Amino acid sequence: MRPIRIALTKGRLEKKSVELFTQMGLDCSALIDKGRRLVLPVGDYEVVLAKAADVITYVEHGVCDIGIVGKDTIVEHSSDFYEVTDLGIGKCDFALAGPKGKDFFAGYNVKRIATKYPTVARNYFEGKDMDIRIIKIEGSVELAPLLDLADAIVDIVETGTTLKENGLEVIEKIMPISARVIVNMASMKLRKEEIEKFLNDVEVAKEKIK
Ligand code: PRP
């Protein structure tokens, strides 16, 4: 049988995840000094580095048993897996943000919202009974109001620096976000003992890295 495979979100969550694995007593040298390799041995596990949305795809398809991914990606995409643990790392917020000092809600025109998270944005404005037009952007969403492509953005805000440096401010927080452990539904049954061991070790280690 192949080792238990963990899909890990590249970038923002990577450093803290390495801390978590190290705290779990796993040898992370391959993960720290990875070069361009994409499948890495970490202790008895195999770690795959992937973009957040792909972490979900790999876990849903069962090619990875476990995933570490932000709640932002979970709420934006489908959820055909178990969400088992809140790691309390990678904390940030979904927020509606716009040009500083401007009343976003004023006027009757249909507002244009730029976002990487159309589902989240749509649900949020549905809750407010507001008609909006969504413009899907893949990165640096903050540019959209500056170019007058959008009236506001729905995005993740961590330190608030990106907003501040671009003359934008939070209009309303939408929901808090942090990294979660997700598990493939079949793996949870078929490889129960190994997955439970991993999850127990995570529970102990996560308290030590905060
Ligand atoms: C995210 C988000 C903001 C920024 C917020 O982008 O989209 O742009 O981080 O962080 P801050 O509040 O600490 O400034 P990310 O860096 O993940 O890159 P992306 O724009 O390519 O998605």
Side-chain angles (χ1 to χ4, degrees):
M1 219 186 315
R2 67 158 170 79
I4 289 284
R5 203 177 281 146
I6 305 164
L8 176 59
T9 303
K10 278 199 267 199
R12 214 168 257 268
L13 294 178
E14 221 176 297
K15 216 171 127 214
K16 276 282 181 187
S17 302
V18 170
E19 267 183 59
L20 180 78
F21 292 155
T22 305
Q23 197 55 249
M24 287 164 71
L26 302 174
D27 176 5
C28 287
S29 47
L31 195 52
I32 293 163
D33 190 18
K34 58 183 178 294
R36 299 291 295 173
R37 273 188 306 164
L38 297 169
V39 184
L40 307 155
V42 172
D44 288 337
Y45 303 104
E46 213 166 73
V47 168
V48 172
L49 281 169
K51 277 201 162 192
D54 296 340
V55 167
I56 291 188
T57 304
Y58 297 152
V59 172
E60 280 187 336
H61 285 262
V63 296
C64 292
D65 308 287
I66 296 169
I68 296 181
V69 66
K71 183 71 177 171
D72 53 322
T73 310
I74 296 176
V75 295
E76 181 61 27
H77 295 82
S78 53
S79 53
D80 208 5
F81 47 77
Y82 295 117
E83 182 186 325
V84 288
T85 310
D86 183 348
L87 289 175
I89 60 173
K91 283 190 177 166
C92 50
D93 289 286
F94 264 132
L96 172 68
K100 200 168 178 342
K102 199 169 166 195
D103 183 2
F104 167 77
F105 295 103
Y108 292 99
N109 58 315
V110 172
K111 303 289 189 289
R112 303 157 302 160
I113 306 296
T115 188
K116 273 181 279 186
Y117 304 90
T119 307
V120 172
R122 207 168 284 118
N123 290 343
Y124 170 69
F125 284 104
E126 255 172 40
K128 288 188 171 303
D129 234 357
M130 247 179 99
D131 230 3
I132 50 140
R133 190 153 65 80
I134 292 193
I135 300 162
K136 176 92 194 310
I137 296 287
E138 292 300 327
S140 300
V141 181
E142 293 85 357
L143 250 180
L146 303 185
L147 302 179
D148 196 26
L149 176 66
D151 300 296
I153 63 173
V154 166
D155 199 15
I156 56 172
V157 178
E158 190 181 355
T159 60
T161 311
T162 314
L163 291 182
K164 202 166 168 209
E165 291 193 357
N166 291 289
L168 305 170
E169 65 183 356
V170 170
I171 300 166
E172 209 167 272
K173 283 190 177 174
I174 299 176
M175 72 177 277
I177 291 164
S178 55
R180 308 296 159 108
V181 178
I182 60 172
V183 178
N184 171 266
M185 287 181 166
S187 302
M188 191 69 122
K189 289 197 190 83
L190 299 173
R191 305 193 67 172
K192 191 166 186 285
E193 262 177 45
E194 294 158 286
I195 304 256
E196 272 177 1
K197 156 100 176 79
F198 176 84
L199 295 176
N200 287 338
D201 290 352
V202 163
E203 281 307 320
V204 177
K206 78 174 193 186
E207 297 307 326
K208 296 183 185 158
I209 60 160
K210 278 176 188 167

